[in-house]
Amino acid sequence: MESVPLMQQQPVHQPRLAYSNNSSSKILTLPTVLTLSRVAAVPVLIFTFSVDSWWGRTATTSIFMAAAITDWLDGYIARKMKLCSAFGALLDPVADKLMVAATLVLLCSRPINVALFGQAPWLLNVPSIAIIGREITMSAVREWAASQNSKLSEAVAVNKLGKWKTATQMAALTILLATRDNSVGESGILVASGESGILVASGIIFLYVSAGLSVMSLAVYVEKIGKVLLK
């Protein structure tokens, strides 16, 4: 019996998906450029802070305020224009922490004598240590949570308490930078009096409120993580 030859099937060529390597373009999105500008502004802030003149104080305050605005703006643009990227998400908190930590260290390098609080060189050191310590701790906790599971990542997501902490922190640092003057006392401590003293005092109060909120938000995050781990 003669075998019937089998029909040879032509290979079906499925359309290949065209993958374009857009990694470089995704890195240099507008939000990421704004974030990078905050990182680049840190050494400029340090330089202007060291300038003992009115324009040095004005420039330092302007740089910090611009950084605070771009901190909100880059996130808004990323969400609105769908330009979110892994690199931007990683860099954004780093830029924020660099700017805040640098500003706190600079302010602590020039203690302030405020009539309302008296001469207390440690006045800015205490809240600054609390704020910087909290930021370092939360960075480590978030990195650990991200390597575990989604529930832990949700537990350390930014909450309203953290947003209030950021708002009071930015207000405090802006006031303290804007009211910084060159009236130096005998011990090298900046002297703030009159209306300037009242503004400086309000900035210090805001800074302590921010430090308190920092510690409280850290406690809330730790409590949430504990609940997830105990389930």
Side-chain angles (χ1 to χ4, degrees):
M1 184 175 177
E2 188 176 355
S3 60
V4 179
L6 296 176
M7 295 180 61
Q8 294 183 351
Q9 286 187 338
Q10 295 295 327
V12 179
H13 296 283
Q14 295 183 353
R16 296 180 61 185
L17 295 177
Y19 293 100
S20 58
N21 186 12
N22 294 326
S23 58
S24 59
S25 61
K26 287 183 179 179
I27 288 177
L28 294 178
T29 58
L30 178 58
T32 304
V33 171
L34 290 174
T35 304
L36 287 170
S37 68
R38 293 207 304 278
V39 177
V42 173
V44 182
L45 179 87
I46 296 172
F47 169 74
T48 56
F49 187 88
S50 63
V51 177
D52 290 331
S53 67
W54 66 268
W55 74 262
R57 179 176 68 252
T58 303
T60 305
T61 307
S62 300
I63 291 170
F64 185 82
M65 291 179 65
I69 293 171
T70 56
D71 180 26
W72 168 83
L73 187 61
D74 61 8
Y76 175 79
I77 294 175
R79 291 187 299 270
K80 195 74 173 177
M81 301 179 64
K82 297 181 180 179
L83 295 174
C84 299
S85 66
F87 179 70
L90 173 68
L91 186 63
D92 184 69
V94 173
D96 298 341
K97 289 172 177 58
L98 281 174
M99 180 61 70
V100 170
T103 303
L104 288 170
V105 171
L106 290 172
L107 289 171
C108 288
S109 68
R110 295 189 180 184
I112 302 174
N113 180 9
V114 186
L116 181 62
F117 301 106
Q119 183 173 328
W122 49 265
L123 199 58
L124 297 179
N125 298 354
V126 173
S128 297
I129 291 172
I131 291 171
I132 294 175
R134 183 265 187 193
E135 295 301 334
I136 294 173
T137 304
M138 280 307 305
S139 295
V141 169
R142 285 198 170 104
E143 184 176 353
W144 168 77
S147 66
Q148 299 301 310
N149 55 60
S150 58
K151 290 185 178 180
L152 283 173
S153 296
E154 291 175 1
V156 295
V158 178
N159 55 26
K160 289 184 178 180
L161 198 60
K163 292 179 179 180
W164 278 107
K165 180 268 302 180
T166 301
T168 54
Q169 181 177 278
M170 294 303 177
L173 295 181
T174 300
I175 292 172
L176 291 174
L177 288 174
T179 55
R180 180 176 64 90
D181 57 28
N182 304 315
S183 302
V184 182
E186 295 180 357
S187 59
I189 297 177
L190 296 177
V191 180
S193 58
E195 293 183 1
S196 175
I198 295 174
L199 286 173
V200 173
S202 65
I204 293 173
I205 291 172
F206 272 122
L207 192 63
Y208 271 86
V209 170
S210 176
L213 292 174
S214 297
V215 175
M216 288 173 59
S217 63
L218 178 61
V220 170
Y221 290 131
V222 171
E223 182 184 2
K224 288 182 177 180
I225 291 173
K227 289 181 180 179
V228 173
L229 293 176
L230 292 174
K231 283 186 179 179

